[in-house]
Every structure is written in C-alpha cells, then in structure tokens.
mmCIF file with all atom_site columns, all heavy atoms in Angstrom:
data_model
loop_
_atom_site.group_PDB
_atom_site.id
_atom_site.type_symbol
_atom_site.label_atom_id
_atom_site.label_alt_id
_atom_site.label_comp_id
_atom_site.label_asym_id
_atom_site.label_entity_id
_atom_site.label_seq_id
_atom_site.pdbx_PDB_ins_code
_atom_site.Cartn_x
_atom_site.Cartn_y
_atom_site.Cartn_z
_atom_site.occupancy
_atom_site.B_iso_or_equiv
_atom_site.pdbx_formal_charge
_atom_site.auth_seq_id
_atom_site.auth_comp_id
_atom_site.auth_asym_id
_atom_site.auth_atom_id
_atom_site.pdbx_PDB_model_num
ATOM 1   N N   . PRO A 1 1  ? -7.879  19.263  -2.514 1.00 97.00 ? 240 PRO A N   1
ATOM 2   C CA  . PRO A 1 1  ? -9.127  18.548  -2.822 1.00 97.00 ? 240 PRO A CA  1
ATOM 3   C C   . PRO A 1 1  ? -8.891  17.212  -3.555 1.00 97.00 ? 240 PRO A C   1
ATOM 4   O O   . PRO A 1 1  ? -9.592  16.263  -3.367 1.00 97.00 ? 240 PRO A O   1
ATOM 5   C CB  . PRO A 1 1  ? -9.919  19.503  -3.683 1.00 97.00 ? 240 PRO A CB  1
ATOM 6   C CG  . PRO A 1 1  ? -9.470  20.837  -3.212 1.00 97.00 ? 240 PRO A CG  1
ATOM 7   C CD  . PRO A 1 1  ? -8.015  20.663  -2.902 1.00 97.00 ? 240 PRO A CD  1
ATOM 8   N N   . GLU A 1 2  ? -7.879  17.137  -4.381 1.00 97.00 ? 241 GLU A N   1
ATOM 9   C CA  . GLU A 1 2  ? -7.518  15.939  -5.117 1.00 97.00 ? 241 GLU A CA  1
ATOM 10  C C   . GLU A 1 2  ? -6.997  14.850  -4.251 1.00 97.00 ? 241 GLU A C   1
ATOM 11  O O   . GLU A 1 2  ? -6.812  13.721  -4.680 1.00 97.00 ? 241 GLU A O   1
ATOM 12  C CB  . GLU A 1 2  ? -6.555  16.224  -6.276 1.00 97.00 ? 241 GLU A CB  1
ATOM 13  C CG  . GLU A 1 2  ? -5.366  17.031  -5.867 1.00 97.00 ? 241 GLU A CG  1
ATOM 14  C CD  . GLU A 1 2  ? -5.492  18.501  -6.180 1.00 97.00 ? 241 GLU A CD  1
ATOM 15  O OE1 . GLU A 1 2  ? -6.519  19.058  -5.888 1.00 97.00 ? 241 GLU A OE1 1
ATOM 16  O OE2 . GLU A 1 2  ? -4.494  19.100  -6.715 1.00 97.00 ? 241 GLU A OE2 1
ATOM 17  N N   . ASP A 1 3  ? -6.740  15.169  -2.958 1.00 98.00 ? 242 ASP A N   1
ATOM 18  C CA  . ASP A 1 3  ? -6.324  14.112  -1.989 1.00 98.00 ? 242 ASP A CA  1
ATOM 19  C C   . ASP A 1 3  ? -7.502  13.343  -1.473 1.00 98.00 ? 242 ASP A C   1
ATOM 20  O O   . ASP A 1 3  ? -7.327  12.359  -0.769 1.00 98.00 ? 242 ASP A O   1
ATOM 21  C CB  . ASP A 1 3  ? -5.545  14.736  -0.916 1.00 98.00 ? 242 ASP A CB  1
ATOM 22  C CG  . ASP A 1 3  ? -4.179  15.336  -1.267 1.00 98.00 ? 242 ASP A CG  1
ATOM 23  O OD1 . ASP A 1 3  ? -3.510  14.675  -2.120 1.00 98.00 ? 242 ASP A OD1 1
ATOM 24  O OD2 . ASP A 1 3  ? -3.811  16.393  -0.789 1.00 98.00 ? 242 ASP A OD2 1
ATOM 25  N N   . THR A 1 4  ? -8.675  13.803  -1.785 1.00 98.00 ? 243 THR A N   1
ATOM 26  C CA  . THR A 1 4  ? -9.861  13.167  -1.312 1.00 98.00 ? 243 THR A CA  1
ATOM 27  C C   . THR A 1 4  ? -9.961  11.754  -1.852 1.00 98.00 ? 243 THR A C   1
ATOM 28  O O   . THR A 1 4  ? -9.915  11.477  -3.034 1.00 98.00 ? 243 THR A O   1
ATOM 29  C CB  . THR A 1 4  ? -11.132 13.927  -1.735 1.00 98.00 ? 243 THR A CB  1
ATOM 30  O OG1 . THR A 1 4  ? -11.121 15.241  -1.114 1.00 98.00 ? 243 THR A OG1 1
ATOM 31  C CG2 . THR A 1 4  ? -12.410 13.212  -1.337 1.00 98.00 ? 243 THR A CG2 1
ATOM 32  N N   . ALA A 1 5  ? -10.079 10.804  -0.941 1.00 98.00 ? 244 ALA A N   1
ATOM 33  C CA  . ALA A 1 5  ? -10.124 9.339   -1.273 1.00 98.00 ? 244 ALA A CA  1
ATOM 34  C C   . ALA A 1 5  ? -10.302 8.539   -0.032 1.00 98.00 ? 244 ALA A C   1
ATOM 35  O O   . ALA A 1 5  ? -10.210 9.046   1.074  1.00 98.00 ? 244 ALA A O   1
ATOM 36  C CB  . ALA A 1 5  ? -8.875  8.947   -2.053 1.00 98.00 ? 244 ALA A CB  1
ATOM 37  N N   . VAL A 1 6  ? -10.543 7.294   -0.245 1.00 98.00 ? 245 VAL A N   1
ATOM 38  C CA  . VAL A 1 6  ? -10.445 6.316   0.863  1.00 98.00 ? 245 VAL A CA  1
ATOM 39  C C   . VAL A 1 6  ? -8.990  5.891   0.908  1.00 98.00 ? 245 VAL A C   1
ATOM 40  O O   . VAL A 1 6  ? -8.415  5.423   -0.047 1.00 98.00 ? 245 VAL A O   1
ATOM 41  C CB  . VAL A 1 6  ? -11.338 5.131   0.630  1.00 98.00 ? 245 VAL A CB  1
ATOM 42  C CG1 . VAL A 1 6  ? -11.162 4.115   1.772  1.00 98.00 ? 245 VAL A CG1 1
ATOM 43  C CG2 . VAL A 1 6  ? -12.828 5.553   0.593  1.00 98.00 ? 245 VAL A CG2 1
ATOM 44  N N   . TYR A 1 7  ? -8.402  5.968   2.098  1.00 98.00 ? 246 TYR A N   1
ATOM 45  C CA  . TYR A 1 7  ? -7.034  5.655   2.256  1.00 98.00 ? 246 TYR A CA  1
ATOM 46  C C   . TYR A 1 7  ? -6.958  4.268   2.951  1.00 98.00 ? 246 TYR A C   1
ATOM 47  O O   . TYR A 1 7  ? -7.557  4.013   3.968  1.00 98.00 ? 246 TYR A O   1
ATOM 48  C CB  . TYR A 1 7  ? -6.338  6.696   3.139  1.00 98.00 ? 246 TYR A CB  1
ATOM 49  C CG  . TYR A 1 7  ? -5.992  7.929   2.367  1.00 98.00 ? 246 TYR A CG  1
ATOM 50  C CD1 . TYR A 1 7  ? -7.002  8.829   1.953  1.00 98.00 ? 246 TYR A CD1 1
ATOM 51  C CD2 . TYR A 1 7  ? -4.662  8.269   2.045  1.00 98.00 ? 246 TYR A CD2 1
ATOM 52  C CE1 . TYR A 1 7  ? -6.684  9.972   1.213  1.00 98.00 ? 246 TYR A CE1 1
ATOM 53  C CE2 . TYR A 1 7  ? -4.304  9.385   1.328  1.00 98.00 ? 246 TYR A CE2 1
ATOM 54  C CZ  . TYR A 1 7  ? -5.395  10.203  0.901  1.00 98.00 ? 246 TYR A CZ  1
ATOM 55  O OH  . TYR A 1 7  ? -5.087  11.382  0.185  1.00 98.00 ? 246 TYR A OH  1
ATOM 56  N N   . TYR A 1 8  ? -6.098  3.446   2.343  1.00 98.00 ? 247 TYR A N   1
ATOM 57  C CA  . TYR A 1 8  ? -5.936  2.052   2.814  1.00 98.00 ? 247 TYR A CA  1
ATOM 58  C C   . TYR A 1 8  ? -4.530  1.828   3.254  1.00 98.00 ? 247 TYR A C   1
ATOM 59  O O   . TYR A 1 8  ? -3.546  2.289   2.650  1.00 98.00 ? 247 TYR A O   1
ATOM 60  C CB  . TYR A 1 8  ? -6.243  1.047   1.722  1.00 98.00 ? 247 TYR A CB  1
ATOM 61  C CG  . TYR A 1 8  ? -7.662  1.079   1.180  1.00 98.00 ? 247 TYR A CG  1
ATOM 62  C CD1 . TYR A 1 8  ? -8.025  1.878   0.147  1.00 98.00 ? 247 TYR A CD1 1
ATOM 63  C CD2 . TYR A 1 8  ? -8.631  0.285   1.795  1.00 98.00 ? 247 TYR A CD2 1
ATOM 64  C CE1 . TYR A 1 8  ? -9.344  1.928   -0.348 1.00 98.00 ? 247 TYR A CE1 1
ATOM 65  C CE2 . TYR A 1 8  ? -9.959  0.322   1.342  1.00 98.00 ? 247 TYR A CE2 1
ATOM 66  C CZ  . TYR A 1 8  ? -10.305 1.150   0.256  1.00 98.00 ? 247 TYR A CZ  1
ATOM 67  O OH  . TYR A 1 8  ? -11.590 1.140   -0.179 1.00 98.00 ? 247 TYR A OH  1
ATOM 68  N N   . CYS A 1 9  ? -4.406  1.122   4.328  1.00 97.00 ? 248 CYS A N   1
ATOM 69  C CA  . CYS A 1 9  ? -3.109  0.654   4.852  1.00 97.00 ? 248 CYS A CA  1
ATOM 70  C C   . CYS A 1 9  ? -2.869  -0.759  4.367  1.00 97.00 ? 248 CYS A C   1
ATOM 71  O O   . CYS A 1 9  ? -3.808  -1.565  4.261  1.00 97.00 ? 248 CYS A O   1
ATOM 72  C CB  . CYS A 1 9  ? -3.082  0.705   6.354  1.00 97.00 ? 248 CYS A CB  1
ATOM 73  S SG  . CYS A 1 9  ? -1.594  0.098   7.158  1.00 97.00 ? 248 CYS A SG  1
ATOM 74  N N   . ALA A 1 10 ? -1.623  -1.080  4.034  1.00 96.00 ? 249 ALA A N   1
ATOM 75  C CA  . ALA A 1 10 ? -1.325  -2.419  3.554  1.00 96.00 ? 249 ALA A CA  1
ATOM 76  C C   . ALA A 1 10 ? 0.020   -2.877  4.158  1.00 96.00 ? 249 ALA A C   1
ATOM 77  O O   . ALA A 1 10 ? 0.884   -2.030  4.516  1.00 96.00 ? 249 ALA A O   1
ATOM 78  C CB  . ALA A 1 10 ? -1.198  -2.419  2.033  1.00 96.00 ? 249 ALA A CB  1
ATOM 79  N N   . ALA A 1 11 ? 0.180   -4.143  4.283  1.00 94.00 ? 250 ALA A N   1
ATOM 80  C CA  . ALA A 1 11 ? 1.407   -4.719  4.814  1.00 94.00 ? 250 ALA A CA  1
ATOM 81  C C   . ALA A 1 11 ? 1.783   -6.030  4.122  1.00 94.00 ? 250 ALA A C   1
ATOM 82  O O   . ALA A 1 11 ? 0.918   -6.746  3.636  1.00 94.00 ? 250 ALA A O   1
ATOM 83  C CB  . ALA A 1 11 ? 1.250   -4.985  6.304  1.00 94.00 ? 250 ALA A CB  1
ATOM 84  N N   . GLU A 1 12 ? 3.074   -6.273  4.020  1.00 93.00 ? 251 GLU A N   1
ATOM 85  C CA  . GLU A 1 12 ? 3.561   -7.532  3.471  1.00 93.00 ? 251 GLU A CA  1
ATOM 86  C C   . GLU A 1 12 ? 4.942   -7.848  4.062  1.00 93.00 ? 251 GLU A C   1
ATOM 87  O O   . GLU A 1 12 ? 5.729   -6.957  4.217  1.00 93.00 ? 251 GLU A O   1
ATOM 88  C CB  . GLU A 1 12 ? 3.680   -7.392  1.912  1.00 93.00 ? 251 GLU A CB  1
ATOM 89  C CG  . GLU A 1 12 ? 4.198   -8.627  1.219  1.00 93.00 ? 251 GLU A CG  1
ATOM 90  C CD  . GLU A 1 12 ? 3.265   -9.812  1.390  1.00 93.00 ? 251 GLU A CD  1
ATOM 91  O OE1 . GLU A 1 12 ? 2.013   -9.555  1.368  1.00 93.00 ? 251 GLU A OE1 1
ATOM 92  O OE2 . GLU A 1 12 ? 3.749   -10.946 1.571  1.00 93.00 ? 251 GLU A OE2 1
ATOM 93  N N   . ARG A 1 13 ? 5.105   -9.124  4.340  1.00 90.00 ? 252 ARG A N   1
ATOM 94  C CA  . ARG A 1 13 ? 6.398   -9.558  4.916  1.00 90.00 ? 252 ARG A CA  1
ATOM 95  C C   . ARG A 1 13 ? 7.384   -9.651  3.816  1.00 90.00 ? 252 ARG A C   1
ATOM 96  O O   . ARG A 1 13 ? 7.469   -10.553 3.069  1.00 90.00 ? 252 ARG A O   1
ATOM 97  C CB  . ARG A 1 13 ? 6.210   -10.906 5.594  1.00 90.00 ? 252 ARG A CB  1
ATOM 98  C CG  . ARG A 1 13 ? 5.289   -10.864 6.788  1.00 90.00 ? 252 ARG A CG  1
ATOM 99  C CD  . ARG A 1 13 ? 5.296   -12.218 7.527  1.00 90.00 ? 252 ARG A CD  1
ATOM 100 N NE  . ARG A 1 13 ? 4.311   -12.153 8.667  1.00 90.00 ? 252 ARG A NE  1
ATOM 101 C CZ  . ARG A 1 13 ? 4.634   -11.671 9.840  1.00 90.00 ? 252 ARG A CZ  1
ATOM 102 N NH1 . ARG A 1 13 ? 5.818   -11.112 10.089 1.00 90.00 ? 252 ARG A NH1 1
ATOM 103 N NH2 . ARG A 1 13 ? 3.692   -11.656 10.781 1.00 90.00 ? 252 ARG A NH2 1
ATOM 104 N N   . THR A 1 14 ? 8.195   -8.569  3.747  1.00 87.00 ? 253 THR A N   1
ATOM 105 C CA  . THR A 1 14 ? 9.217   -8.439  2.737  1.00 87.00 ? 253 THR A CA  1
ATOM 106 C C   . THR A 1 14 ? 10.273  -7.418  3.197  1.00 87.00 ? 253 THR A C   1
ATOM 107 O O   . THR A 1 14 ? 9.953   -6.522  3.966  1.00 87.00 ? 253 THR A O   1
ATOM 108 C CB  . THR A 1 14 ? 8.621   -8.062  1.409  1.00 87.00 ? 253 THR A CB  1
ATOM 109 O OG1 . THR A 1 14 ? 9.698   -7.814  0.411  1.00 87.00 ? 253 THR A OG1 1
ATOM 110 C CG2 . THR A 1 14 ? 7.906   -6.732  1.533  1.00 87.00 ? 253 THR A CG2 1
ATOM 111 N N   . PHE A 1 15 ? 11.446  -7.597  2.711  1.00 83.00 ? 254 PHE A N   1
ATOM 112 C CA  . PHE A 1 15 ? 12.537  -6.624  2.992  1.00 83.00 ? 254 PHE A CA  1
ATOM 113 C C   . PHE A 1 15 ? 12.522  -5.454  2.059  1.00 83.00 ? 254 PHE A C   1
ATOM 114 O O   . PHE A 1 15 ? 13.172  -4.469  2.266  1.00 83.00 ? 254 PHE A O   1
ATOM 115 C CB  . PHE A 1 15 ? 13.892  -7.316  3.013  1.00 83.00 ? 254 PHE A CB  1
ATOM 116 C CG  . PHE A 1 15 ? 14.126  -8.191  4.186  1.00 83.00 ? 254 PHE A CG  1
ATOM 117 C CD1 . PHE A 1 15 ? 13.998  -9.633  3.991  1.00 83.00 ? 254 PHE A CD1 1
ATOM 118 C CD2 . PHE A 1 15 ? 14.477  -7.707  5.386  1.00 83.00 ? 254 PHE A CD2 1
ATOM 119 C CE1 . PHE A 1 15 ? 14.230  -10.423 5.038  1.00 83.00 ? 254 PHE A CE1 1
ATOM 120 C CE2 . PHE A 1 15 ? 14.727  -8.588  6.436  1.00 83.00 ? 254 PHE A CE2 1
ATOM 121 C CZ  . PHE A 1 15 ? 14.577  -9.956  6.323  1.00 83.00 ? 254 PHE A CZ  1
ATOM 122 N N   . VAL A 1 16 ? 11.827  -5.592  0.965  1.00 84.00 ? 255 VAL A N   1
ATOM 123 C CA  . VAL A 1 16 ? 11.803  -4.528  -0.031 1.00 84.00 ? 255 VAL A CA  1
ATOM 124 C C   . VAL A 1 16 ? 10.605  -3.619  0.253  1.00 84.00 ? 255 VAL A C   1
ATOM 125 O O   . VAL A 1 16 ? 9.809   -3.848  1.173  1.00 84.00 ? 255 VAL A O   1
ATOM 126 C CB  . VAL A 1 16 ? 11.760  -5.103  -1.457 1.00 84.00 ? 255 VAL A CB  1
ATOM 127 C CG1 . VAL A 1 16 ? 12.966  -5.923  -1.781 1.00 84.00 ? 255 VAL A CG1 1
ATOM 128 C CG2 . VAL A 1 16 ? 10.490  -5.919  -1.677 1.00 84.00 ? 255 VAL A CG2 1
ATOM 129 N N   . VAL A 1 17 ? 10.414  -2.588  -0.565 1.00 88.00 ? 256 VAL A N   1
ATOM 130 C CA  . VAL A 1 17 ? 9.339   -1.653  -0.379 1.00 88.00 ? 256 VAL A CA  1
ATOM 131 C C   . VAL A 1 17 ? 8.512   -1.601  -1.722 1.00 88.00 ? 256 VAL A C   1
ATOM 132 O O   . VAL A 1 17 ? 8.669   -0.651  -2.467 1.00 88.00 ? 256 VAL A O   1
ATOM 133 C CB  . VAL A 1 17 ? 9.833   -0.272  0.039  1.00 88.00 ? 256 VAL A CB  1
ATOM 134 C CG1 . VAL A 1 17 ? 10.224  -0.284  1.524  1.00 88.00 ? 256 VAL A CG1 1
ATOM 135 C CG2 . VAL A 1 17 ? 11.060  0.156   -0.771 1.00 88.00 ? 256 VAL A CG2 1
ATOM 136 N N   . PRO A 1 18 ? 7.643   -2.567  -1.930 1.00 90.00 ? 257 PRO A N   1
ATOM 137 C CA  . PRO A 1 18 ? 6.871   -2.537  -3.161 1.00 90.00 ? 257 PRO A CA  1
ATOM 138 C C   . PRO A 1 18 ? 5.860   -1.385  -3.160 1.00 90.00 ? 257 PRO A C   1
ATOM 139 O O   . PRO A 1 18 ? 5.485   -0.848  -2.083 1.00 90.00 ? 257 PRO A O   1
ATOM 140 C CB  . PRO A 1 18 ? 6.126   -3.878  -3.061 1.00 90.00 ? 257 PRO A CB  1
ATOM 141 C CG  . PRO A 1 18 ? 6.102   -4.267  -1.665 1.00 90.00 ? 257 PRO A CG  1
ATOM 142 C CD  . PRO A 1 18 ? 7.367   -3.715  -1.110 1.00 90.00 ? 257 PRO A CD  1
ATOM 143 N N   . THR A 1 19 ? 5.423   -1.063  -4.344 1.00 94.00 ? 258 THR A N   1
ATOM 144 C CA  . THR A 1 19 ? 4.523   0.103   -4.493 1.00 94.00 ? 258 THR A CA  1
ATOM 145 C C   . THR A 1 19 ? 3.258   -0.251  -5.235 1.00 94.00 ? 258 THR A C   1
ATOM 146 O O   . THR A 1 19 ? 2.477   0.642   -5.553 1.00 94.00 ? 258 THR A O   1
ATOM 147 C CB  . THR A 1 19 ? 5.228   1.247   -5.279 1.00 94.00 ? 258 THR A CB  1
ATOM 148 O OG1 . THR A 1 19 ? 5.672   0.806   -6.531 1.00 94.00 ? 258 THR A OG1 1
ATOM 149 C CG2 . THR A 1 19 ? 6.447   1.733   -4.423 1.00 94.00 ? 258 THR A CG2 1
ATOM 150 N N   . THR A 1 20 ? 3.042   -1.511  -5.580 1.00 95.00 ? 259 THR A N   1
ATOM 151 C CA  . THR A 1 20 ? 1.828   -1.907  -6.296 1.00 95.00 ? 259 THR A CA  1
ATOM 152 C C   . THR A 1 20 ? 0.898   -2.667  -5.362 1.00 95.00 ? 259 THR A C   1
ATOM 153 O O   . THR A 1 20 ? 1.355   -3.426  -4.473 1.00 95.00 ? 259 THR A O   1
ATOM 154 C CB  . THR A 1 20 ? 2.198   -2.833  -7.487 1.00 95.00 ? 259 THR A CB  1
ATOM 155 O OG1 . THR A 1 20 ? 2.955   -3.927  -7.020 1.00 95.00 ? 259 THR A OG1 1
ATOM 156 C CG2 . THR A 1 20 ? 2.999   -2.029  -8.521 1.00 95.00 ? 259 THR A CG2 1
ATOM 157 N N   . PRO A 1 21 ? -0.399  -2.509  -5.520 1.00 95.00 ? 260 PRO A N   1
ATOM 158 C CA  . PRO A 1 21 ? -1.363  -3.165  -4.621 1.00 95.00 ? 260 PRO A CA  1
ATOM 159 C C   . PRO A 1 21 ? -1.257  -4.673  -4.595 1.00 95.00 ? 260 PRO A C   1
ATOM 160 O O   . PRO A 1 21 ? -1.402  -5.301  -3.536 1.00 95.00 ? 260 PRO A O   1
ATOM 161 C CB  . PRO A 1 21 ? -2.733  -2.712  -5.198 1.00 95.00 ? 260 PRO A CB  1
ATOM 162 C CG  . PRO A 1 21 ? -2.437  -1.464  -5.890 1.00 95.00 ? 260 PRO A CG  1
ATOM 163 C CD  . PRO A 1 21 ? -1.061  -1.603  -6.465 1.00 95.00 ? 260 PRO A CD  1
ATOM 164 N N   . ASP A 1 22 ? -0.926  -5.298  -5.715 1.00 95.00 ? 261 ASP A N   1
ATOM 165 C CA  . ASP A 1 22 ? -0.857  -6.722  -5.806 1.00 95.00 ? 261 ASP A CA  1
ATOM 166 C C   . ASP A 1 22 ? 0.313   -7.297  -5.021 1.00 95.00 ? 261 ASP A C   1
ATOM 167 O O   . ASP A 1 22 ? 0.321   -8.498  -4.710 1.00 95.00 ? 261 ASP A O   1
ATOM 168 C CB  . ASP A 1 22 ? -0.742  -7.181  -7.278 1.00 95.00 ? 261 ASP A CB  1
ATOM 169 C CG  . ASP A 1 22 ? 0.430   -6.529  -7.970 1.00 95.00 ? 261 ASP A CG  1
ATOM 170 O OD1 . ASP A 1 22 ? 0.400   -5.333  -8.286 1.00 95.00 ? 261 ASP A OD1 1
ATOM 171 O OD2 . ASP A 1 22 ? 1.443   -7.260  -8.194 1.00 95.00 ? 261 ASP A OD2 1
ATOM 172 N N   . ALA A 1 23 ? 1.230   -6.474  -4.599 1.00 95.00 ? 262 ALA A N   1
ATOM 173 C CA  . ALA A 1 23 ? 2.421   -6.950  -3.811 1.00 95.00 ? 262 ALA A CA  1
ATOM 174 C C   . ALA A 1 23 ? 2.093   -7.067  -2.337 1.00 95.00 ? 262 ALA A C   1
ATOM 175 O O   . ALA A 1 23 ? 2.905   -7.614  -1.567 1.00 95.00 ? 262 ALA A O   1
ATOM 176 C CB  . ALA A 1 23 ? 3.593   -6.018  -4.034 1.00 95.00 ? 262 ALA A CB  1
ATOM 177 N N   . PHE A 1 24 ? 0.945   -6.552  -1.879 1.00 95.00 ? 263 PHE A N   1
ATOM 178 C CA  . PHE A 1 24 ? 0.598   -6.576  -0.497 1.00 95.00 ? 263 PHE A CA  1
ATOM 179 C C   . PHE A 1 24 ? -0.487  -7.574  -0.200 1.00 95.00 ? 263 PHE A C   1
ATOM 180 O O   . PHE A 1 24 ? -1.529  -7.547  -0.916 1.00 95.00 ? 263 PHE A O   1
ATOM 181 C CB  . PHE A 1 24 ? 0.223   -5.154  -0.045 1.00 95.00 ? 263 PHE A CB  1
ATOM 182 C CG  . PHE A 1 24 ? 1.368   -4.176  -0.009 1.00 95.00 ? 263 PHE A CG  1
ATOM 183 C CD1 . PHE A 1 24 ? 1.692   -3.503  -1.164 1.00 95.00 ? 263 PHE A CD1 1
ATOM 184 C CD2 . PHE A 1 24 ? 2.117   -4.040  1.120  1.00 95.00 ? 263 PHE A CD2 1
ATOM 185 C CE1 . PHE A 1 24 ? 2.786   -2.624  -1.144 1.00 95.00 ? 263 PHE A CE1 1
ATOM 186 C CE2 . PHE A 1 24 ? 3.185   -3.143  1.161  1.00 95.00 ? 263 PHE A CE2 1
ATOM 187 C CZ  . PHE A 1 24 ? 3.510   -2.453  0.005  1.00 95.00 ? 263 PHE A CZ  1
ATOM 188 N N   . GLY A 1 25 ? -0.303  -8.338  0.799  1.00 94.00 ? 264 GLY A N   1
ATOM 189 C CA  . GLY A 1 25 ? -1.251  -9.394  1.126  1.00 94.00 ? 264 GLY A CA  1
ATOM 190 C C   . GLY A 1 25 ? -2.272  -9.021  2.211  1.00 94.00 ? 264 GLY A C   1
ATOM 191 O O   . GLY A 1 25 ? -3.317  -9.701  2.384  1.00 94.00 ? 264 GLY A O   1
ATOM 192 N N   . SER A 1 26 ? -1.936  -8.070  3.038  1.00 95.00 ? 265 SER A N   1
ATOM 193 C CA  . SER A 1 26 ? -2.778  -7.605  4.135  1.00 95.00 ? 265 SER A CA  1
ATOM 194 C C   . SER A 1 26 ? -3.237  -6.195  3.923  1.00 95.00 ? 265 SER A C   1
ATOM 195 O O   . SER A 1 26 ? -2.458  -5.338  3.618  1.00 95.00 ? 265 SER A O   1
ATOM 196 C CB  . SER A 1 26 ? -2.046  -7.737  5.482  1.00 95.00 ? 265 SER A CB  1
ATOM 197 O OG  . SER A 1 26 ? -1.681  -9.117  5.736  1.00 95.00 ? 265 SER A OG  1
#
C-alpha cells in the first residue's frame, strides 16, 4: 500500500545516474 503514488518518468542527457529530481530536465 505504501507504494501508492503517482509515478513519474524522467530523463536527462548524462552518462551518470542521478537520483534527485532537480538533475532531470525531462
């Protein structure tokens, strides 16, 4: 039940794998 949420996909042109929302532009 705690998984309940709106799930968003994000993308950013980068070779790394950021984990913060501000790091993604799309």
Side-chain angles (χ1 to χ4, degrees):
E241 51 262 45
D242 294 320
T243 296
V245 176
Y246 282 70
Y247 297 91
C248 178
E251 181 62 39
R252 295 187 183 278
T253 177
F254 288 100
V255 300
V256 284
T258 60
T259 56
D261 56 286
F263 291 87
S265 299

